Amino acid sequence: MMFSKEYFKYLLTSNRYLLILVFFLFAFNAIGNTIKGLDLLLQGFLAVLFSFILPIIVFYHVHDKRAVDSYFALPVDRKRILATSILFCFLIVYAGIAIGILAFAYRSDGPFNTAFALLIMALAALVLVMYHSALYLIGNDIVDGVIMMGAYTVLPLSITSVFLLWRATGMRISLWSVSFRRSTWQENCLRQLSAMKRLILYL
């Protein structure tokens, strides 16, 4: 068997407060956020955030010299520890995403393929967790692992978000300037017509 039930139970008990925080944030956003589209956007942000944080917590012992010997001395194969840790992170992230999708499907007025969305998000959650776990484990130490994750995840996402925000803001500014020019042109036309009307009445 690839996974260890005992080690999975250990991860659950040792990270129970983190689990409460994660599910509270996901559930609070899914239930309390009634703005369509924004709830799923925030659920996606939380999923990316916790897929970044959870591998650091679960694989912390790999880069800790005092803990690595005791962890790898456990009567559990290293491959099973790795697989169980990834499964643990995946289930937490995917459970949070599933809460958001089910809440969105419940509030949705139009047709929504819930099963397809859950399947796609399961693949996305698995890829995110495995990607961030690999980046963290590649690092030489804790700081190096976090920097690797930030360089290959946070920085590209930040640049993309800023670019999209700039495009959206620039579009709004350009539309506002066009509407402003139209309104100014209309006001000038009205002034000219008003002046011609006064001139005709004067004559």
Side-chain angles (χ1 to χ4, degrees):
M1 188 175 180
M2 288 183 60
F3 307 105
S4 172
K5 293 181 180 179
E6 293 76 14
Y7 190 67
F8 189 83
K9 291 178 182 178
Y10 166 76
L11 290 175
L12 284 175
T13 55
S14 60
N15 297 286
R16 57 184 179 276
Y17 296 115
L18 178 63
L19 292 177
I20 294 172
L21 175 63
V22 171
F23 287 113
F24 172 77
L25 291 176
F26 276 110
F28 179 79
N29 177 66
I31 298 172
N33 193 349
T34 58
I35 302 175
K36 289 185 177 180
L38 183 61
D39 52 352
L40 286 182
L41 183 64
L42 290 178
Q43 291 291 103
F45 172 77
L46 288 173
V48 174
L49 178 65
F50 284 109
S51 70
F52 185 93
I53 295 175
L54 285 171
I56 299 175
I57 297 174
V58 173
F59 293 110
Y60 181 84
H61 63 275
V62 175
H63 297 309
D64 188 356
K65 295 180 180 179
R66 292 176 296 181
V68 66
D69 293 333
S70 59
Y71 262 89
F72 289 143
L74 294 173
V76 182
D77 186 62
R78 294 188 181 186
K79 293 180 180 179
R80 295 177 67 186
I81 291 178
L82 176 64
T84 306
S85 301
I86 291 177
L87 176 66
F88 175 77
C89 297
F90 162 74
L91 289 177
I92 295 175
V93 173
Y94 181 60
I97 297 175
I99 291 172
I101 291 176
L102 293 175
F104 180 84
Y106 178 77
R107 293 196 298 262
S108 180
D109 299 328
F112 183 74
N113 195 335
T114 307
F116 179 74
L118 289 172
L119 177 61
I120 294 298
M121 289 300 104
L123 295 175
L126 182 61
V127 169
L128 280 173
V129 168
M130 293 182 67
Y131 177 69
H132 289 151
S133 299
L135 288 175
Y136 181 74
L137 293 173
I138 287 172
N140 297 320
D141 51 29
I142 298 172
V143 177
D144 191 33
V146 173
I147 291 174
M148 288 278 291
M149 296 170 71
Y152 288 98
T153 304
V154 177
L155 187 59
L157 285 176
S158 301
I159 293 173
T160 305
S161 301
V162 170
F163 175 74
L164 294 175
L165 182 62
W166 173 77
R167 288 292 299 273
T169 307
M171 188 177 295
R172 290 194 189 97
I173 291 174
S174 62
L175 291 174
W176 178 81
S177 62
V178 170
S179 62
F180 177 76
R181 286 196 296 269
R182 287 179 179 176
S183 62
T184 305
W185 178 78
Q186 292 172 356
E187 290 175 359
N188 290 332
C189 290
L190 290 174
R191 289 196 192 98
Q192 295 294 333
L193 290 173
S194 179
M196 291 177 63
K197 182 179 179 181
R198 287 197 301 268
L199 180 61
I200 293 171
L201 291 174
Y202 177 76
L203 295 174

